[in-house]
Amino acid sequence: MRWWCSADGSRWSWTPRPYIGSWILLGALALLLWRGGAFSSERSRRQKVAGVLGLSLVLIAIEWPLAAMGAGYLASAQMVRQILVVLIATPLLLYSSPDSWGSACVATPRRARIYEFVTYPLFGLLGATVLLFTVNLPVVVDPLVKTQLGSFLVDLVWIAAGVLMWLPVQPPGGRVARLKGPPAIVYLIGVSVAPLPIAFFMTWSELPIFAVYELAPRVFNSLDAKSDQEFAAAIFQVGGGLVIWIQIAVRFINMAGGTKERTRFRGTLVPVSATSATTPEVTSKEHSP
Amino acid sequence: MIPRRTFLRVAGLRTASVGVSGLIAGSFASGCSSDSREAQAEFAGTLLGTPLKRPTQVFIDTSGEEYVYAAATAGQLSLLFFGYTSCPDVCPVHLGIISRALEKLGGELERTPLAFVGVDTARDTPEVMREYLDRFDPEFVGLTASPDVIEQAQTSLNLPPILIEASDDGGNYNVGHASQVLVFTPDDLCHIVYPVGTRQQDWMADLPRLLTKVW
């Protein structure tokens, strides 16, 4: 049994081929969430659902058939995996993460400084873009996805990029988002631009740029390597953009709802950040995915 | 690039490919000079120390006509590949990449003839081959012949004989075959072969130069 997906050059088969490493990683992640209290009765229903959904999407992304197809056969499948991990599962898991995770991030002055630094929006945006750009370069992808360890490394980089990208607007449980309201929306608009340079070469290259996908046995005869590459670029640009714009729309609607709430009272509503120090369980429920 | 060991396992070509590699390595080594090293660096394919002549055997094309490869392609840059239509990996990858490369090259090179000899004579009927090749390029020539004629042609090109594996419960079976594409230049000799793993960019870089190169 293989422990992680990789390109092994064999013909594609629809016979299920589970990866033991995927289940170990998923089990560890679920255990960490569970022990941290992510599914305790104090958590909101939305947070619990987000946790289950996030774990499910991680499993779909790292397990057969999508993982096998993405690592060894189709660039488009790899892009779907990338979107699932970076743009959907990561913010869901951050949203559902227990308060203990947030506390652990700032448990020592040193960690607090690091947390402060990595949640800086420009760092998050640039860091995530650079990481994603790097793991989409043919010179990096071709050798890495040929080995299980290399393919595992790519998946870890996706998770790291996702965390960096979302931390400024979707912090772990118990922490207050660095950006809220209009600044968060502006940040997310910036994030929506990030896939463009990454997919640029895939869209405009005249030839297949990834040797591993060009030389792989075809999964679907009608989808050749070049069409697959163009499809992958479209998935990353359009699909990725759509996911982010849904986030923007949700935040915009929430923001509009908050404005209505404020006009209903004569008094001044206390901002969430002012209550976070004393009632972390309340603030954690007010993060939106 | 498909890892070599995996490919051998998949296509059941351990014996065949080792034989071919030995022949290629041997013929390359026998003619290894500074000129040949320079030429080797110039191309993505593997240069042969001793060039091969076009096969003179009589094949049958997909329209049922006799086809003598040496006569039909004389003086032209042309490609020759021995494969089978039920091949799950090497053949469709090679043919797909070459058809794309020729289409991109355009002009005279787009009409570079490629002949596909179906080595699985039981299943590779002219009709099946025509339908199969049309998926890649309707201009590709499908050739068949009796197993003896195919073996003679392969022997003349220093290719190993095919290996037919035992069939599974559904009657499907794999055929071990040489995985390289032979390129015949206008001097009617094959100086270079292209193994599995040759990319579209390699073909696009090499074919124009092979058309004009003086050996």
Side-chain angles (χ1 to χ4, degrees):
Chain A
M1 182 187 245
R2 297 164 65 81
W3 68 274
W4 205 260
C5 58
S6 66
D8 61 7
S10 61
R11 76 193 72 166
W12 171 256
S13 165
W14 287 103
T15 306
R17 209 171 38 166
Y19 301 113
I20 193 162
S22 308
W23 291 94
I24 291 173
L25 181 72
L26 187 83
L29 202 53
L31 191 68
L32 280 173
L33 284 170
W34 183 271
R35 290 194 62 179
F39 301 107
S40 68
S41 56
E42 294 149 23
R43 309 288 290 176
S44 73
R45 187 184 166 84
R46 284 177 68 183
Q47 284 174 312
K48 288 179 193 171
V49 169
V52 172
L53 198 58
L55 288 172
S56 306
L57 291 176
V58 167
L59 182 65
I60 289 169
I62 62 177
E63 183 49 283
W64 187 93
L66 190 60
M69 214 180 266
Y73 300 89
L74 295 172
S76 46
Q78 188 78 334
M79 284 303 149
V80 172
R81 296 181 65 215
Q82 194 162 239
I83 287 174
L84 285 179
V85 172
V86 177
L87 298 179
I88 308 177
T90 305
L92 284 173
L93 290 174
L94 281 171
Y95 174 62
S96 71
S97 62
D99 292 355
S100 57
W101 285 27
S103 308
C105 290
V106 292
T108 64
R110 185 187 164 88
R111 282 196 208 173
R113 278 200 303 277
I114 293 172
Y115 181 78
E116 177 83 2
F117 183 70
V118 297
T119 55
Y120 186 63
L122 197 61
F123 180 82
L125 187 57
L126 287 179
T129 305
V130 168
L131 281 180
L132 291 177
F133 192 82
T134 305
V135 290
N136 281 284
L137 288 173
V139 288
V140 176
V141 172
D142 283 337
L144 281 186
V145 297
K146 280 182 190 166
T147 65
Q148 295 178 75
L149 189 63
S151 185
F152 176 64
L153 187 66
V154 169
D155 293 9
L156 287 186
V157 171
W158 287 348
I159 294 171
V163 170
L164 273 183
M165 182 183 279
W166 290 103
L167 268 183
V169 290
Q170 183 56 70
R175 306 305 310 162
V176 177
R178 189 154 184 161
L179 295 176
K180 288 178 163 195
I185 289 176
V186 170
Y187 175 79
L188 287 174
I189 291 171
V191 167
S192 74
V193 177
L196 300 181
I198 294 165
F200 179 83
F201 295 102
M202 281 187 265
T203 309
W204 299 110
S205 170
E206 289 203 347
L207 300 172
I209 59 174
F210 300 107
V212 70
Y213 299 120
E214 184 183 3
L215 300 172
R218 306 307 332 150
V219 177
F220 307 108
N221 286 329
S222 53
L223 190 65
D224 64 29
K226 183 65 171 49
S227 308
D228 171 46
Q229 183 174 294
E230 288 162 357
F231 190 35
I235 287 171
F236 202 46
Q237 287 171 311
V238 180
L242 191 67
V243 169
I244 295 167
W245 277 96
I246 287 172
Q247 277 269 352
I248 291 171
V250 168
R251 282 166 190 273
F252 190 78
I253 291 164
N254 285 347
M255 203 170 71
T259 308
K260 273 187 198 164
E261 191 78 2
R262 272 197 296 278
T263 56
R264 209 187 295 165
F265 300 101
R266 285 192 165 183
T268 306
L269 289 173
V270 179
V272 175
S273 56
T275 63
S276 63
T278 52
T279 55
E281 69 282 1
V282 173
T283 56
S284 65
K285 283 174 188 168
E286 290 192 15
H287 299 316
S288 55
Chain B
M1 187 181 292
I2 296 173
R4 180 179 166 72
R5 202 164 56 176
T6 305
F7 165 67
L8 293 177
R9 191 185 67 239
V10 169
L13 283 175
R14 184 178 293 276
T15 312
S17 291
V18 168
V20 173
S21 305
L23 286 168
I24 291 170
S27 53
F28 176 64
S30 65
C32 198
S33 64
S34 61
D35 284 350
S36 64
R37 275 195 296 271
E38 279 173 25
Q40 178 61 71
E42 196 183 338
F43 295 104
T46 304
L47 286 174
L48 304 176
T50 309
L52 303 164
K53 291 180 181 169
R54 293 181 195 267
T56 53
Q57 285 73 22
V58 180
F59 294 97
I60 305 295
D61 67 17
T62 51
S63 60
E65 301 292 320
E66 286 192 348
Y67 188 100
V68 180
Y69 185 80
T73 59
Q76 297 179 67
L77 180 70
S78 57
L79 315 180
L80 180 61
F81 181 48
F82 290 78
Y84 69 112
T85 58
S86 310
C87 179
D89 36 40
V90 176
C91 300
V93 169
H94 257 325
L95 294 173
I97 288 173
I98 293 170
S99 67
R100 275 279 191 169
L102 295 177
E103 186 189 333
K104 280 273 176 201
L105 283 166
E108 186 185 353
L109 284 163
E110 190 176 2
R111 294 186 295 278
T112 303
L114 179 143
F116 176 86
V117 181
V119 297
D120 181 10
T121 50
R123 291 183 292 188
D124 293 345
T125 62
E127 297 76 27
V128 169
M129 274 202 289
R130 187 67 272 148
E131 191 183 336
Y132 176 73
L133 293 172
D134 283 350
R135 277 174 24 202
F136 303 100
D137 186 340
E139 297 296 317
F140 285 176
V141 178
L143 300 177
T144 188
S146 68
D148 288 345
V149 170
I150 291 173
E151 190 174 341
Q152 283 170 23
Q154 289 185 302
T155 304
S156 74
L157 295 166
N158 287 345
L159 299 177
I162 60 165
L163 300 169
I164 297 183
E165 291 182 1
S167 57
D168 62 18
D169 296 340
N172 299 312
Y173 56 89
N174 288 325
V175 179
H177 62 95
S179 61
Q180 64 271 52
V181 177
L182 296 96
V183 178
F184 289 91
T185 42
D187 61 358
D188 287 335
L189 293 172
C190 172
H191 300 270
I192 191 164
V193 296
Y194 286 81
V196 67
T198 304
R199 300 184 63 189
Q200 194 178 322
Q201 62 191 36
D202 300 325
W203 285 112
M204 291 183 67
D206 284 12
L207 285 176
R209 286 181 288 150
L210 287 168
L211 183 65
T212 54
K213 182 167 175 66
V214 178
W215 298 91

